[in-house]
Amino acid sequence: MIIVINGKTSDAHVEKVIQRLHEMGHEVHTIRGERRIVLGVIGDAKNLASVPFYAFDGVEEVIRVEKPYKLASKEFKSSTTTVQIKDVVIGGKEVVVMAGPCVVENEKQIFETAQQVKAAGAKILRGGAFKPRTSPYSFQGLEEEGLKLLAQAREETGLLVVTEVMSVNQIELVGKYADIFQVGARNMQNFVLLKELGKIKKPVLLKRGMSATLEELLLSAEYILSQGNHEVILCERGIRTFENYTRNTLDLSAIPAIKELSHLPVIVDPSHATGRWRLVTPMAKAAVAVGADGLLIEVHPDPKSSLSDGAQTLRIDTFAQLMKELSPIVQAVGREFVTSAEDDFERMKN
Amino acid sequence: MIIVINGKTSDAHVEKVIQRLHEMGHEVHTIRGERRIVLGVIGDAKNLASVPFYAFDGVEEVIRVEKPYKLASKEFKSSTTTVQIKDVVIGGKEVVVMAGPCVVENEKQIFETAQQVKAAGAKILRGGAFKPRTSPYSFQGLEEEGLKLLAQAREETGLLVVTEVMSVNQIELVGKYADIFQVGARNMQNFVLLKELGKIKKPVLLKRGMSATLEELLLSAEYILSQGNHEVILCERGIRTFENYTRNTLDLSAIPAIKELSHLPVIVDPSHATGRWRLVTPMAKAAVAVGADGLLIEVHPDPKSSLSDGAQTLRIDTFAQLMKELSPIVQAVGREFVTSAEDDFERMKN
Amino acid sequence: MIIVINGKTSDAHVEKVIQRLHEMGHEVHTIRGERRIVLGVIGDAKNLASVPFYAFDGVEEVIRVEKPYKLASKEFKSSTTTVQIKDVVIGGKEVVVMAGPCVVENEKQIFETAQQVKAAGAKILRGGAFKPRTSPYSFQGLEEEGLKLLAQAREETGLLVVTEVMSVNQIELVGKYADIFQVGARNMQNFVLLKELGKIKKPVLLKRGMSATLEELLLSAEYILSQGNHEVILCERGIRTFENYTRNTLDLSAIPAIKELSHLPVIVDPSHATGRWRLVTPMAKAAVAVGADGLLIEVHPDPKSSLSDGAQTLRIDTFAQLMKELSPIVQAVGREFVTSAEDDFERMKN
Amino acid sequence: MIIVINGKTSDAHVEKVIQRLHEMGHEVHTIRGERRIVLGVIGDAKNLASVPFYAFDGVEEVIRVEKPYKLASKEFKSSTTTVQIKDVVIGGKEVVVMAGPCVVENEKQIFETAQQVKAAGAKILRGGAFKPRTSPYSFQGLEEEGLKLLAQAREETGLLVVTEVMSVNQIELVGKYADIFQVGARNMQNFVLLKELGKIKKPVLLKRGMSATLEELLLSAEYILSQGNHEVILCERGIRTFENYTRNTLDLSAIPAIKELSHLPVIVDPSHATGRWRLVTPMAKAAVAVGADGLLIEVHPDPKSSLSDGAQTLRIDTFAQLMKELSPIVQAVGREFVTSAEDDFERMKN
């Protein structure tokens, strides 16, 4: 940690800051410049995070040199974390596609979607049973009924299931049916929820909040990791800006940035980010090109009749076409894209 | 609702949209321009919120004319809502000040603060027992022990208590001690929490999310109101922008804007918004000048030793000075500011 | 300047950075921590601004300790700068109001406005002759004809004139008629224009860009100051955020923040910031309460017929009412508000 | 255009709005709902842009249905515009790479860069002679000397030259040396400059402003187009957000969005957008995958010694590697990437 003090500050006041640092067990280097005094603090500054140095007379700036997260950092673990669920590996060579409707509506809808996204190459079925909706008057999901339908679709197709958990009191129920817990953007800093999910042995897909920095996203991941659950998958889903042609602004630079800062796998949700189905395919390609470990895509047999987010949802044929167009990009960046057919063949061999 | 369709769209496709509107029970006016076809939909469009018109061929824009919230709107109730707790009225003529430390640390700290903010004119004691912290390594609050200290401080001083509830599983416990539930910015869209608080008869102070629009804030209030709890106090606490000299950017235009859109009272938190104690007093004055119904201010007997947010916390003498400087502004805008002494006098008379 | 280097960096690479610093004439303090090496650089680091330290192996962060502007800084000059034009002083005790139409339309409009805003207490007449309009199809101003009308209105009323200059090739012409050059938000970083205005002895009103930080605003002021023109007035006019109820988000914390960082006077434009005339009066009050040295307000005899920005423009009676309501706030913050009548009286005495 | 009026508005006030529309030559459809009155306006609403309907009593919302730009729109011209300069075509099948240093420093630097970026496959040499720098104390460019060096490098290599013009008074000089005028982000709304560039027959590369919406970018293009210059190339270079790990947030969804809205070619600048050289290669790949017509990349023989933006600048070997990695992505999206060698071969044949 570096503490910058105004050069006109009295020695007594400078001494008070140094004394506090000594009390906290730190060695201090003092550099006196013309107009400022700089204190360089040696040692792990984590215990200084809550000391309000700005409240000391003369202090102008407090600059953290160490990253505030540890377990999520590349320094803690340099090799990429892979999350394996059955035969699906997220964070490995394969680009894993998760697809399905925004919200589970009925048996026919979810089964039809599941079969067809599987046929097109998806490995994981997404679908909301508990839906966070901006308005209390929007459809809020089928709740347990929706979870059961997801589980049945898994039985039928062999796809894994990812679905959202919105609150601590839903963890047990959702955990009975889901292979991966999804934490939505609005809950990225629901710390009570994160802590509880950290105590469970089940992967968590953590979406970046609408106005969260990457550092905050990694600190939220740290909440889960620090409780013992190491299977965290990050998800970029667009941040809020002044641009309103798109629903959000998909920050694809977050992908290589996270790869510099952390060992956790990271996927991209181009559907929620753009809010327009015509932009989903190009942004999915870009996501793969930039290095994403997977994609989360909204697909519905009939977007016109969907109960949520129809504007950004792909029809099944459009999704199948997207998968075809993705394939050469996947290869171009040296990744793999195991199609369903090959996959079944692999499974038979094993 | 207005639906704008590209003028080159075939009649059959236009008809599909109109048919869907008829199915939903709406009368439709069709206006054919040179390059676009505009459908004007008559009637309450609430049931159309979840119809994905963008998924229909030719649809270019869907424009909501009715506001998406109802109970929170000025149209539903034109007179300002007042929230009365004992002898304190929020949303009335008085500007109500809530003050106290970011987090309850110990008996001495909270008692000393309570007595002195009361002496300076505050009516409500704030203090966190459960603290949402960006980092899992920061101090997370004294939990029930903190709540008990707040309740004792209330006994001693007659101040009311406002404190944060972070999750549904804390509602019962926090409700035992608090006069007002505070929902923090990070939980503004924790819909499960909002719904449960809507079922309780206790006022809720709802903070605007870091990147929430006013419409989203009012929709979150609607979650509480629609469950039957009408005592909602809104709070502007700064939004996230690219400016980094201040922690957030306090959006004071939100106050008169909310007064145009809603009947709910609204207060301002200049401490979290600015993140710098020197800016708290000027921004508090501006908040009163613009029409805020109250203020939420961080005060600590010794900010240098505070365990959270010391940089933005006022010392008690600075707070007392702030209250003095506020007084003429309060009068200038035709509001009232009942000082503690007068207040006691009033109480004696009654 | 502080340079943070990854602790795993080889000594040879660390040495290269140190060597470069020595070459640039700086003394270096090296602090070796567990995981990072910190170089503290002594001396004025201005000549290091263009050295790309991030391009050196191992460098993780480069932290500037000195502010990048000098002449605009509080350190350079601690007393507030006042800009005096005839008998009007901006940055002194008086809160100075500049009012008038967005754009000069015709003789009747500008004369009527001038007389009436003067009667209500304004000291400076605003009005655009060259208008930066987002669309090439919007009215672009009367150009020299508009400037002449402004000058005539000055003759008639004794008001000063502030008007926008959009490009270097307009400086001479605008300078013939204006008392104060206005540089609009879109031109805050038109550095060629700023440099030329720096060579002239006439005050410049510099508006903050739509997404400019305070540091960038002060650096733009520095462009003018460094050429020799010390009469710079800053103007906060709202920044762009995701909120769309208001046109921009007026950042009133910028006022006390600028007062901490700089000696330059700063005024507020609540008209462009909010884009809604009903919000102008409350925000003007807040601006005065927070410490603004003046206001810039759009007024038009008939906003419904105005050729630009009618939605945010006050009628003359509304403006007169605003001035009345401002008066007690001005007093409450210990400022002065010399009404036109008093002013004439003062003038007679002198 | 759609005008929404509060249902409680008196008939007389509604009539005033309708009358104004009639005066402007428009047919009006009135739709009366329960709580609102909606006026649908038939005909090209362009002449209504400057009518301040919000200033009329009762008007709640004014919704533009037609796009405010015309010549830049897809509706005006559905086929993609190609800009051809000598044998280079921008907006065609080929992905065109523009590369070079941020700023021209000396003969050796620019010649070495030119030769090597050409060898790696670039078609256009970039380099600043006039540099807009946030601080007046940063290096501002070699001015005409720099332009001459660029022209000499063109002679030697056959590369085209793109360089920035910052002000109307530089147009003639820059035009003598450049093949493409670059308008920087800070000048996207320097309307005087745009208009003058519209009168010249030379392509203009127009960068999106730091907080400009796509609509504003297209309106700025419209300024150039409406003066008769149809050779406009748009450039996405990152927008300003709260995220600070990257310098800006590259908005890649802007590429397919612009392709929906406009016929103009669009390229991407991943160097300025990210501000970190390690992120340039992945973002360049993503840009091609999403459909960009070209790239603008900063390259310098020795980034450590560069006088500007060294942190985001690629070394020549890194650039050559980037070009190799781009190649399969270019093919994957069905575009072409004519390498220098093939190009020379083609030239020989012709």
Side-chain angles (χ1 to χ4, degrees):
Chain A
M1 183 178 274
I2 307 287
I3 296 174
V4 181
I5 301 179
N6 192 301
K8 294 175 186 155
T9 310
S10 74
D11 287 355
H13 279 128
V14 176
E15 203 43 51
K16 274 190 195 166
V17 181
I18 294 173
Q19 199 181 318
R20 180 65 164 273
L21 289 164
H22 286 162
E23 281 166 26
M24 305 295 284
H26 293 279
E27 197 184 319
V28 182
H29 282 241
T30 307
I31 307 173
R32 286 188 171 266
E34 265 173 275
R35 291 199 290 205
R36 285 185 173 79
I37 300 153
V38 173
L39 306 183
V41 184
I42 305 293
D44 182 356
K46 218 151 58 184
N47 71 345
L48 298 177
S50 57
V51 181
F53 287 105
Y54 281 108
F56 284 74
D57 292 278
V59 171
E60 290 192 343
E61 250 182 298
V62 180
I63 300 156
R64 235 176 31 214
V65 171
E66 302 281 326
K67 305 238 175 303
Y69 46 85
K70 188 184 158 201
L71 305 175
S73 75
K74 194 102 188 176
E75 287 172 2
F76 178 74
K77 176 168 180 295
S78 57
S79 64
T80 305
T81 287
T82 55
V83 174
Q84 172 148 14
I85 313 147
K86 295 181 191 164
D87 56 347
V88 175
V89 179
I90 299 162
K93 204 175 178 195
E94 187 181 349
V95 174
V96 175
V97 177
M98 313 180 181
C102 181
V103 55
V104 180
E105 294 166 14
N106 55 56
E107 194 177 313
K108 182 174 179 303
Q109 172 237 28
I110 195 67
F111 277 44
E112 200 176 320
T113 310
Q115 280 152 358
Q116 302 197 1
V117 298
K118 182 179 162 96
K123 293 296 172 62
I124 301 178
L125 177 65
R126 61 150 292 158
F130 292 98
K131 286 302 300 175
R133 302 300 298 269
T134 305
S135 164
Y137 307 119
S138 299
F139 177 55
Q140 313 262 326
L142 294 178
E143 308 194 351
E144 186 164 10
E145 181 55 27
L147 295 171
K148 283 182 182 164
L149 290 173
L150 285 168
Q152 287 166 27
R154 172 176 49 204
E155 292 308 301
E156 291 240 346
T157 58
L159 290 169
L160 299 177
V161 164
V162 59
T163 195
E164 183 155 356
V165 58
M166 287 171 64
S167 182
V168 279
N169 59 357
Q170 296 168 354
I171 292 179
E172 200 183 327
L173 183 65
V174 174
K176 275 201 334 213
Y177 300 97
D179 297 298
I180 306 174
F181 284 113
Q182 178 177 318
V183 175
R186 289 171 183 81
N187 277 314
M188 190 200 86
Q189 293 195 320
N190 183 334
F191 301 121
V192 178
L193 177 61
L194 299 179
K195 274 190 209 169
E196 290 307 311
L197 291 173
K199 294 173 188 160
I200 291 173
K201 288 278 165 257
K202 188 162 271 198
V204 178
L205 177 73
L206 178 64
K207 287 191 150 190
R208 183 183 186 182
M210 257 181 304
S211 70
T213 61
L214 295 181
E215 188 170 295
E216 287 168 341
L217 173 61
L218 291 169
L219 277 163
S220 286
E222 191 87 2
Y223 262 97
I224 302 169
L225 299 169
S226 64
Q227 299 292 325
N229 184 351
H230 299 298
E231 302 198 304
V232 176
I233 303 153
L234 304 174
C235 180
E236 161 64 30
R237 46 75 73 203
I239 55 174
R240 185 162 273 186
T241 70
F242 53 82
E243 177 58 58
N244 55 19
Y245 185 76
T246 45
R247 186 169 171 172
N248 294 284
T249 297
L250 188 65
D251 175 11
L252 284 181
S253 59
I255 313 309
I258 287 171
K259 298 273 173 198
E260 283 188 10
L261 296 167
S262 177
H263 53 85
L264 294 171
V266 55
I267 69 164
V268 169
D269 174 351
S271 304
H272 278 87
T274 60
R276 290 178 175 262
W277 70 265
R278 280 186 193 84
L279 303 188
V280 171
T281 296
M283 293 309 282
K285 290 182 192 174
V288 170
V290 89
D293 295 309
L295 294 167
L296 187 62
I297 293 178
E298 291 196 6
V299 180
H300 191 287
D302 179 17
K304 280 176 209 158
S305 75
S306 82
L307 297 179
S308 176
D309 286 344
Q312 70 203 29
T313 300
L314 298 187
R315 287 201 317 258
I316 284 168
D317 57 341
T318 318
F319 174 69
Q321 178 62 24
L322 156 65
M323 295 295 279
K324 262 185 213 144
E325 293 183 24
L326 272 185
S327 194
I329 310 272
V330 169
Q331 284 174 7
V333 293
R335 301 291 285 260
E336 260 173 27
F337 206 36
V338 187
T339 68
S340 201
E342 295 170 72
D343 197 38
D344 289 342
F345 180 71
E346 287 300 310
R347 217 177 283 156
M348 278 188 293
K349 286 199 304 187
N350 298 327
Chain B
M1 182 179 274
I2 306 288
I3 297 173
V4 181
I5 301 179
N6 192 300
K8 293 177 186 152
T9 310
S10 75
D11 287 355
H13 280 127
V14 176
E15 203 44 52
K16 274 189 194 166
V17 181
I18 293 174
Q19 199 181 318
R20 181 63 164 274
L21 289 164
H22 286 162
E23 282 166 26
M24 306 294 284
H26 293 279
E27 198 184 319
V28 182
H29 281 240
T30 307
I31 307 174
R32 285 187 173 267
E34 267 172 274
R35 290 198 292 203
R36 284 185 175 78
I37 299 154
V38 173
L39 306 183
V41 183
I42 306 293
D44 182 356
K46 217 150 61 183
N47 73 345
L48 298 178
S50 56
V51 182
F53 288 105
Y54 281 108
F56 285 75
D57 293 278
V59 171
E60 288 191 345
E61 249 182 298
V62 179
I63 301 156
R64 236 175 29 213
V65 171
E66 303 281 326
K67 306 237 176 303
Y69 45 86
K70 188 184 157 198
L71 304 175
S73 76
K74 194 101 186 174
E75 288 172 1
F76 178 74
K77 177 168 179 292
S78 57
S79 65
T80 305
T81 288
T82 55
V83 175
Q84 173 146 17
I85 312 146
K86 294 181 191 163
D87 56 346
V88 175
V89 179
I90 299 161
K93 205 175 176 195
E94 188 180 347
V95 174
V96 175
V97 177
M98 314 179 179
C102 181
V103 56
V104 181
E105 293 166 12
N106 56 56
E107 194 177 313
K108 182 174 180 304
Q109 172 237 27
I110 196 66
F111 278 42
E112 200 176 320
T113 310
Q115 279 151 359
Q116 302 197 0
V117 298
K118 182 180 161 96
K123 293 296 172 63
I124 302 178
L125 178 65
R126 61 150 291 157
F130 292 98
K131 287 303 299 176
R133 302 300 299 269
T134 305
S135 163
Y137 306 120
S138 299
F139 177 54
Q140 314 263 326
L142 294 179
E143 308 194 350
E144 186 165 9
E145 181 55 27
L147 294 171
K148 284 182 180 163
L149 290 172
L150 284 168
Q152 288 167 26
R154 172 176 49 203
E155 291 308 301
E156 291 241 346
T157 58
L159 290 168
L160 300 177
V161 163
V162 58
T163 195
E164 182 155 357
V165 57
M166 286 171 64
S167 182
V168 279
N169 59 358
Q170 296 168 355
I171 291 179
E172 200 184 325
L173 184 65
V174 174
K176 277 205 330 216
Y177 299 98
D179 296 298
I180 305 175
F181 285 113
Q182 178 177 316
V183 176
R186 289 171 183 81
N187 276 315
M188 191 200 85
Q189 293 194 319
N190 183 335
F191 301 121
V192 178
L193 177 61
L194 299 179
K195 274 191 210 169
E196 289 308 311
L197 291 172
K199 294 174 185 159
I200 290 172
K201 288 279 165 257
K202 187 161 274 198
V204 177
L205 177 73
L206 177 64
K207 288 191 150 191
R208 183 184 186 181
M210 256 181 306
S211 71
T213 61
L214 296 181
E215 187 170 296
E216 287 168 342
L217 174 60
L218 291 169
L219 278 164
S220 286
E222 190 87 3
Y223 263 97
I224 302 170
L225 298 170
S226 64
Q227 299 292 325
N229 185 350
H230 299 297
E231 302 199 304
V232 175
I233 303 154
L234 304 174
C235 179
E236 162 63 31
R237 47 74 75 203
I239 55 175
R240 185 161 274 187
T241 70
F242 52 82
E243 177 58 59
N244 54 20
Y245 185 75
T246 44
R247 186 169 170 173
N248 294 284
T249 297
L250 188 64
D251 176 11
L252 284 181
S253 59
I255 312 310
I258 288 171
K259 298 274 173 196
E260 283 188 8
L261 297 168
S262 176
H263 53 86
L264 295 171
V266 55
I267 69 164
V268 169
D269 174 351
S271 304
H272 278 87
T274 60
R276 290 177 174 262
W277 71 264
R278 279 185 195 84
L279 302 189
V280 171
T281 296
M283 292 311 281
K285 289 181 192 175
V288 170
V290 89
D293 294 308
L295 293 167
L296 187 64
I297 292 178
E298 291 197 5
V299 181
H300 191 288
D302 180 16
K304 280 176 209 155
S305 75
S306 82
L307 297 179
S308 176
D309 286 343
Q312 70 204 30
T313 299
L314 298 187
R315 288 199 318 256
I316 283 167
D317 57 341
T318 317
F319 175 67
Q321 178 62 24
L322 156 65
M323 293 297 277
K324 262 184 214 144
E325 293 183 26
L326 271 186
S327 195
I329 310 271
V330 169
Q331 284 174 6
V333 293
R335 300 292 286 261
E336 260 173 26
F337 206 35
V338 187
T339 70
S340 201
E342 296 169 72
D343 197 37
D344 289 342
F345 181 68
E346 288 298 310
R347 217 178 281 155
M348 276 187 293
K349 287 199 304 188
N350 297 326
Chain C
M1 182 179 274
I2 307 287
I3 296 173
V4 181
I5 300 179
N6 192 301
K8 293 175 187 155
T9 310
S10 75
D11 287 355
H13 279 127
V14 176
E15 203 43 53
K16 273 190 195 167
V17 181
I18 294 173
Q19 198 181 319
R20 180 65 164 272
L21 289 164
H22 286 161
E23 280 166 26
M24 306 294 285
H26 294 278
E27 199 184 319
V28 182
H29 283 240
T30 308
I31 307 172
R32 286 188 172 267
E34 265 171 277
R35 289 197 292 203
R36 284 185 174 77
I37 299 152
V38 172
L39 306 183
V41 183
I42 305 293
D44 182 356
K46 216 151 59 185
N47 71 346
L48 298 178
S50 57
V51 181
F53 287 106
Y54 281 108
F56 284 76
D57 293 278
V59 171
E60 289 192 343
E61 249 182 299
V62 180
I63 301 156
R64 237 175 29 213
V65 171
E66 302 282 325
K67 305 237 176 302
Y69 45 85
K70 188 184 157 201
L71 304 174
S73 75
K74 194 102 187 175
E75 288 172 1
F76 178 74
K77 178 169 178 294
S78 57
S79 65
T80 305
T81 288
T82 56
V83 175
Q84 172 146 17
I85 312 147
K86 295 182 190 162
D87 55 346
V88 175
V89 179
I90 299 162
K93 204 175 178 195
E94 187 181 348
V95 174
V96 176
V97 177
M98 313 180 181
C102 181
V103 56
V104 181
E105 293 165 13
N106 55 57
E107 195 178 312
K108 183 174 179 303
Q109 172 237 26
I110 195 67
F111 278 43
E112 200 176 319
T113 310
Q115 280 152 0
Q116 302 198 0
V117 300
K118 182 180 161 94
K123 292 298 172 64
I124 301 178
L125 178 65
R126 60 150 292 157
F130 292 98
K131 288 301 301 175
R133 302 300 298 269
T134 305
S135 163
Y137 306 120
S138 298
F139 178 54
Q140 314 263 324
L142 294 178
E143 308 194 351
E144 186 165 8
E145 181 56 28
L147 295 171
K148 284 182 180 162
L149 290 172
L150 285 168
Q152 287 168 26
R154 171 175 51 203
E155 291 308 300
E156 292 240 346
T157 58
L159 291 168
L160 300 176
V161 164
V162 58
T163 195
E164 183 155 357
V165 58
M166 286 172 63
S167 182
V168 279
N169 60 357
Q170 296 168 355
I171 292 179
E172 200 184 326
L173 184 65
V174 174
K176 276 204 332 215
Y177 300 97
D179 297 299
I180 305 174
F181 285 112
Q182 179 178 316
V183 175
R186 289 172 183 81
N187 276 315
M188 191 201 87
Q189 293 194 320
N190 183 334
F191 301 121
V192 178
L193 177 62
L194 299 178
K195 274 189 209 169
E196 290 307 310
L197 291 172
K199 294 173 187 161
I200 291 173
K201 287 279 165 258
K202 187 162 273 196
V204 178
L205 176 73
L206 178 64
K207 288 190 149 191
R208 182 183 187 183
M210 257 180 304
S211 70
T213 61
L214 296 180
E215 187 170 295
E216 287 168 342
L217 173 61
L218 292 169
L219 277 164
S220 285
E222 190 87 2
Y223 262 96
I224 302 169
L225 299 169
S226 63
Q227 298 292 324
N229 185 350
H230 299 297
E231 304 199 305
V232 177
I233 303 154
L234 304 174
C235 179
E236 162 62 30
R237 46 76 72 202
I239 55 176
R240 186 162 271 186
T241 70
F242 53 82
E243 177 58 59
N244 55 19
Y245 185 75
T246 44
R247 186 168 171 173
N248 294 284
T249 297
L250 188 64
D251 176 11
L252 284 180
S253 59
I255 312 308
I258 287 171
K259 298 273 173 199
E260 284 189 8
L261 296 168
S262 177
H263 53 86
L264 294 172
V266 55
I267 69 164
V268 169
D269 174 352
S271 304
H272 278 88
T274 59
R276 291 178 175 261
W277 69 266
R278 280 185 194 84
L279 303 188
V280 171
T281 296
M283 293 310 281
K285 289 182 193 173
V288 170
V290 89
D293 294 308
L295 293 167
L296 187 62
I297 292 178
E298 291 196 7
V299 181
H300 191 288
D302 179 17
K304 279 175 209 155
S305 75
S306 82
L307 297 179
S308 175
D309 286 344
Q312 71 205 28
T313 299
L314 297 187
R315 287 200 318 257
I316 284 167
D317 58 341
T318 318
F319 174 68
Q321 178 62 25
L322 156 65
M323 294 296 279
K324 263 184 214 143
E325 292 182 26
L326 272 186
S327 195
I329 310 271
V330 168
Q331 284 174 7
V333 293
R335 301 292 285 261
E336 259 171 30
F337 205 36
V338 187
T339 70
S340 199
E342 295 169 73
D343 197 37
D344 289 342
F345 181 70
E346 287 298 311
R347 218 177 280 155
M348 277 186 292
K349 287 198 303 188
N350 299 326
Chain D
M1 181 179 275
I2 306 288
I3 296 173
V4 181
I5 300 179
N6 192 301
K8 293 176 187 155
T9 310
S10 75
D11 287 355
H13 280 128
V14 176
E15 202 44 50
K16 273 190 195 165
V17 181
I18 294 174
Q19 199 181 318
R20 181 63 164 273
L21 289 164
H22 286 160
E23 280 165 28
M24 305 294 283
H26 293 279
E27 198 184 319
V28 182
H29 282 240
T30 308
I31 307 173
R32 285 188 174 268
E34 264 172 276
R35 291 198 290 203
R36 283 184 175 80
I37 299 153
V38 173
L39 307 183
V41 183
I42 306 293
D44 182 356
K46 216 151 60 185
N47 72 345
L48 298 178
S50 57
V51 181
F53 288 105
Y54 281 108
F56 284 75
D57 294 277
V59 171
E60 289 192 343
E61 249 182 298
V62 179
I63 301 156
R64 234 176 30 214
V65 171
E66 302 281 326
K67 306 236 174 305
Y69 45 86
K70 188 185 156 200
L71 305 174
S73 74
K74 194 101 186 177
E75 288 172 1
F76 179 74
K77 178 168 178 293
S78 56
S79 65
T80 304
T81 288
T82 56
V83 175
Q84 173 148 15
I85 312 146
K86 293 180 190 161
D87 55 346
V88 175
V89 179
I90 299 162
K93 205 176 176 193
E94 188 180 347
V95 174
V96 176
V97 177
M98 313 179 180
C102 181
V103 57
V104 181
E105 292 166 13
N106 55 55
E107 195 177 313
K108 183 175 179 302
Q109 171 237 27
I110 195 69
F111 278 43
E112 200 176 321
T113 310
Q115 280 152 358
Q116 301 196 1
V117 298
K118 183 180 161 95
K123 293 296 172 63
I124 301 178
L125 178 66
R126 62 150 292 158
F130 292 98
K131 287 302 301 175
R133 301 301 298 269
T134 304
S135 163
Y137 306 119
S138 298
F139 177 54
Q140 313 264 324
L142 294 178
E143 308 195 351
E144 185 165 8
E145 182 54 28
L147 294 171
K148 284 182 181 161
L149 291 173
L150 285 168
Q152 287 167 26
R154 172 175 50 201
E155 292 307 301
E156 291 240 345
T157 58
L159 290 168
L160 299 177
V161 164
V162 59
T163 194
E164 183 155 358
V165 58
M166 285 171 65
S167 182
V168 278
N169 59 358
Q170 295 169 355
I171 292 179
E172 200 184 326
L173 184 64
V174 174
K176 275 201 337 213
Y177 300 98
D179 296 299
I180 305 175
F181 285 112
Q182 178 177 318
V183 175
R186 290 171 183 81
N187 276 315
M188 190 200 85
Q189 294 194 319
N190 183 335
F191 301 121
V192 178
L193 178 62
L194 298 179
K195 274 189 208 168
E196 291 307 311
L197 291 172
K199 295 173 186 160
I200 291 173
K201 289 278 163 259
K202 188 162 272 197
V204 177
L205 177 73
L206 178 64
K207 287 190 151 192
R208 182 184 187 181
M210 257 182 305
S211 71
T213 61
L214 296 181
E215 188 171 295
E216 287 168 341
L217 173 61
L218 291 170
L219 278 164
S220 286
E222 190 87 2
Y223 262 97
I224 302 169
L225 299 170
S226 63
Q227 298 293 325
N229 185 351
H230 298 298
E231 302 199 305
V232 176
I233 303 153
L234 304 173
C235 179
E236 162 63 31
R237 45 76 73 203
I239 55 175
R240 185 162 272 186
T241 70
F242 52 82
E243 177 58 58
N244 55 19
Y245 185 75
T246 44
R247 185 168 172 174
N248 294 284
T249 297
L250 188 64
D251 176 12
L252 284 181
S253 59
I255 312 309
I258 287 171
K259 298 274 174 198
E260 283 188 8
L261 297 168
S262 177
H263 54 85
L264 295 171
V266 55
I267 68 164
V268 169
D269 174 351
S271 304
H272 278 88
T274 60
R276 291 177 174 262
W277 70 265
R278 279 186 193 84
L279 302 188
V280 171
T281 296
M283 292 310 280
K285 288 181 193 174
V288 170
V290 90
D293 294 309
L295 293 167
L296 188 62
I297 292 178
E298 291 197 4
V299 180
H300 192 287
D302 180 17
K304 280 175 209 157
S305 75
S306 82
L307 297 179
S308 176
D309 286 344
Q312 71 204 27
T313 299
L314 298 187
R315 287 200 319 256
I316 284 167
D317 57 342
T318 318
F319 175 69
Q321 178 62 25
L322 155 66
M323 293 296 279
K324 262 185 215 142
E325 292 183 25
L326 272 186
S327 195
I329 311 271
V330 168
Q331 284 174 6
V333 293
R335 300 292 286 261
E336 260 173 27
F337 205 36
V338 187
T339 70
S340 200
E342 295 170 73
D343 197 38
D344 290 342
F345 181 69
E346 288 298 311
R347 219 178 279 157
M348 278 187 293
K349 287 198 304 188
N350 298 326

